[in-house]
Amino acid sequence: MSISSSENSNRLKIAIQKSGRLSEKSLALLKECGIQITTSPNALRAEASNFPLEILFLRDDDIPEYVQDGVADVGIIGENVMLEKGKKLELIDKLGFAKCRLSLAVPRGTTYDDVSFFDGKRIATSYPKILGEYFKEKNVNAEIHMISGSVEIAPSIGLSEGVCDIVSSGSTLLSNGLKEVETVLKSEAVLVANPDFNGEKRKNFEKLLFRMQSVRRSNKNKYILLNAPKSKLDAIIAVLPGLKSPTIMPLANEDWVSVHTVINEDDFWEKIDALQEAGAEGILVIPIEKMIV
Ligand code: ATP
Ligand code: ZN
C-alpha cells in the first residue's frame, strides 16, 4: 500500500538510541503504547504499522542535533546528553528509566574534604559543559580535560587528579580504584521535542504522549485491595487518597468491608505501614496494566 505525501508529512518521527542502555526500554515503551514495529537488527529506520510514526535509530549523542534540526520531531535521550549538547530542545517529560548520576570521583586514597579540592586540579570527563557550569556555580577553578571514552582510567595513567563520569552502581569506579565524592547531576531518560513542529504532526504527538503518560502512571501506581473492619473504615480511608475516592464493597461478614484503590509507589511502604496501623488486614497489591485518567 502506498502512502500519500500528506500522510507522509504528518507522520511523526521519533529518534531513539540504536544500541545501548536506552534502546531496549525506549522500544519497550513504544510497544507498551500499542505501537507495532517490525525491525531488522541493522535497520536505521522503521515504520509503525498502526500509528503515523517513523522510528530513527541513532547514536544517542547525535539525537539532540537531529531533533533540533527537525530531522526527527522528538527523541529519547539521557538528561545528561540533553544538557551537555545544549541544543534548543523542549523537555517534554521524564521517562523514569536509565537512572544514573554524573559524579566527580578521585583516587581512593585521596584525602577529600569538599569541592574546593578540585581547585587547580585536572579533571577528565566527557561532560565538559555540565561540569564547567557546576564548577562555576561552586566557584572552583579546575582544568577540565575532555575525553570521549574510558574516562575512569585517566588518574591511573597520570592524566588527571579526578574524573567526572556517569555512575549507576559505582562498580566501574570501584574497580578502577576511584571513590565517588560529589554528585554533579542526577539523570534519567527524557522525551525531548523540536519546539517548532505543529499541525497534524503535533496532534499525533499529543496522542502518543497521552499513551506514554498512561503507561508511566500505570507503572508507578499499584492497585490495592484490603479488608477493613467497619469501625476503623474512616481511619483507613484517611490514609488512602485514591484517584477520586476508594471503592467500598460489602463482605459476607457484616462487620467488615473490602476497600479497593490505587496508590503511588513513591510512598508505597509508608502507606502500607499506615494502613496496617489503622487496622487494615489481608492487603493485596496488584500491578496495573494501563491507567487512563
Ligand atoms: P552510543 O553508542 O549511542 O553513543 P553510549 O555508549 O554513548 O552509546 P550508553 O552507555 O548506551 O551510551 O548510555 C546511554 C545513556 O544511558 C547515557 O547517556 C545515560 O543517560 C544512561 N546511562 C549510562 N550509563 C548508565 C548506567 N550505568 N546505568 C543507567 N543508565 C546509564
Ligand atoms: Zn553516546
Side-chain angles (χ1 to χ4, degrees):
M1 192 174 61
S2 73
I3 292 177
S4 73
S5 63
S6 81
E7 270 179 57
N8 221 344
S9 62
N10 289 339
R11 193 165 53 209
L12 185 71
K13 292 197 192 104
I14 185 166
I16 65 174
Q17 191 186 22
K18 180 168 168 51
S19 112
R21 290 193 157 97
L22 299 164
S23 312
E24 202 178 305
K25 293 250 170 77
S26 303
L27 272 174
L29 177 60
L30 292 175
K31 205 170 153 196
E32 281 183 283
C33 292
I35 309 287
Q36 284 171 6
I37 324 157
T38 37
T39 53
S40 55
N42 287 314
L44 296 176
R45 52 182 291 282
E47 262 168 49
S49 59
N50 59 350
F51 197 90
L53 180 74
E54 184 174 330
I55 300 100
L56 307 177
F57 300 99
L58 300 167
R59 281 200 59 193
D60 68 340
D61 312 69
D62 297 334
I63 292 176
E65 179 138 0
Y66 278 108
V67 174
Q68 177 180 281
D69 295 349
V71 176
D73 306 300
V74 298
I76 297 178
I77 46 176
E79 226 171 331
N80 51 313
V81 169
M82 176 190 84
L83 294 171
E84 184 60 30
K85 299 292 174 185
K87 303 286 181 192
K88 252 183 60 197
L89 302 173
E90 193 181 337
L91 172 62
I92 303 289
D93 213 352
K94 300 197 177 195
L95 299 174
F97 61 88
K99 287 195 177 167
C100 58
R101 53 196 188 274
L102 185 62
S103 289
L104 279 159
V106 297
R108 215 176 307 151
T110 313
T111 311
Y112 181 91
D113 293 325
D114 59 38
V115 73
S116 66
F117 166 88
F118 292 105
D119 244 320
K121 300 280 197 324
R122 297 166 302 164
I123 323 298
T125 188
S126 308
Y127 296 88
K129 181 171 185 286
I130 297 174
L131 184 60
E133 283 162 10
Y134 174 82
F135 278 151
K136 198 168 160 206
E137 191 193 300
K138 303 276 179 192
N139 270 320
V140 170
N141 212 339
E143 216 179 280
I144 298 174
H145 288 256
M146 162 68 189
I147 302 188
S148 57
S150 302
V151 167
E152 63 284 353
I153 64 163
S156 64
I157 58 172
L159 193 66
S160 71
E161 284 77 46
V163 302
C164 177
D165 203 4
I166 294 290
V167 182
S168 61
S169 69
S171 59
T172 309
L173 289 182
L174 210 64
S175 62
N176 283 282
L178 299 170
K179 64 174 176 186
E180 195 176 348
V181 291
E182 303 286 347
T183 304
V184 173
L185 174 81
K186 284 197 171 135
S187 176
E188 64 185 85
V190 289
L191 180 67
V192 293
N194 179 300
D196 302 322
F197 77 97
N198 36 41
E200 202 57 35
K201 235 184 205 186
R202 245 310 149 171
K203 277 194 204 142
N204 287 331
F205 174 55
E206 300 294 339
K207 210 158 134 185
L208 180 65
L209 183 61
F210 174 77
R211 292 190 192 182
M212 282 189 180
Q213 288 170 338
S214 302
V215 169
R216 284 271 291 130
R217 257 194 305 274
S218 64
N219 289 344
K220 250 175 91 175
N221 289 279
K222 298 275 178 274
Y223 194 79
I224 170 165
L225 298 94
L226 56 87
N227 293 334
K230 271 188 184 160
S231 59
K232 294 180 179 165
L233 189 57
D234 287 346
I236 289 169
I237 288 176
V239 178
L240 295 169
L243 279 182
K244 285 207 174 73
S245 58
T247 306
I248 317 264
M249 311 239 257
L251 290 177
N253 179 336
E254 284 182 3
D255 295 333
W256 288 73
V257 288
S258 169
V259 178
H260 300 196
T261 195
V262 170
I263 66 173
N264 193 296
E265 217 167 46
D266 291 340
D267 46 10
F268 179 78
W269 288 109
E270 287 77 2
K271 290 259 166 65
I272 299 292
D273 290 345
L275 286 170
Q276 282 180 320
E277 270 163 39
E281 288 182 19
I283 302 175
L284 273 182
V285 180
I286 301 169
I288 297 172
E289 161 82 19
K290 294 278 184 311
M291 200 161 147
I292 318 292
V293 291

